[in-house]
Amino acid sequence: DQGDPDNDGQSSLIEFVLGQDPTAAPSSEADHGFHTAPANGGIHLFLNQRQNLAASNLALTLEHSVNLNQWTVIDSYDLSAVGFTINAATSTQTADAYGPIERRSFELSSPTQSAYFRIRLDSLDE
């Protein structure tokens, strides 16, 4: 569903995939399912992902760019493959009425070049 009943600018579908409640806007930056923040001179990357997306014929992909034109897929969340040193990483499990959600957090060293991240949601039916 591409609707946005909470009027926060994110579709209900992406909020569902990121383990959020599509009917309530996030109350803080930390409640967003995907965001970055400064951390110890580097970058802190946060990503929540609802588990078993393939059962819904969906796939979530994390991508990185240094120029916003060319994007590199980060396979299996291996951020070292795109030049980052991972100083710390955590992964915790939670659940809501729709099933399990994995909450990932990565503290990355400061990049030597610009660092942009995005998520891409694809339908496995196409």
Side-chain angles (χ1 to χ4, degrees):
D1 183 358
Q2 296 302 315
D4 183 17
D6 58 4
N7 296 310
D8 66 354
Q10 287 188 324
S11 73
S12 293
L13 180 60
I14 195 69
E15 287 182 317
F16 171 78
V17 167
L18 295 176
Q20 297 173 282
D21 178 354
T23 64
S27 59
S28 71
E29 184 70 24
D31 290 337
H32 286 274
F34 172 69
H35 71 279
T36 59
N40 299 326
I43 299 170
H44 210 146
L45 174 69
F46 301 90
L47 176 63
N48 299 343
Q49 181 179 350
R50 188 168 301 283
Q51 298 300 287
N52 306 321
L53 287 178
S56 302
N57 289 323
L58 297 172
L60 184 71
T61 304
L62 178 63
E63 297 180 329
H64 169 263
S65 177
V66 296
N67 59 21
L68 295 175
N69 291 315
Q70 297 174 307
W71 291 89
T72 302
V73 171
I74 301 174
D75 290 321
S76 302
Y77 301 99
D78 182 7
L79 294 152
S80 63
V82 290
F84 288 96
T85 299
I86 301 172
N87 299 325
T90 62
S91 176
T92 59
Q93 298 283 326
T94 188
D96 64 11
Y98 302 103
I101 301 164
E102 184 169 7
R103 300 185 186 280
R104 293 183 180 95
S105 171
F106 303 93
E107 188 176 311
L108 309 172
S109 62
S110 184
T112 57
Q113 52 194 348
S114 297
Y116 304 98
F117 294 95
R118 72 178 182 188
I119 53 173
R120 191 181 74 228
L121 183 61
D122 295 307
S123 170
L124 297 176
D125 290 335
E126 297 176 359

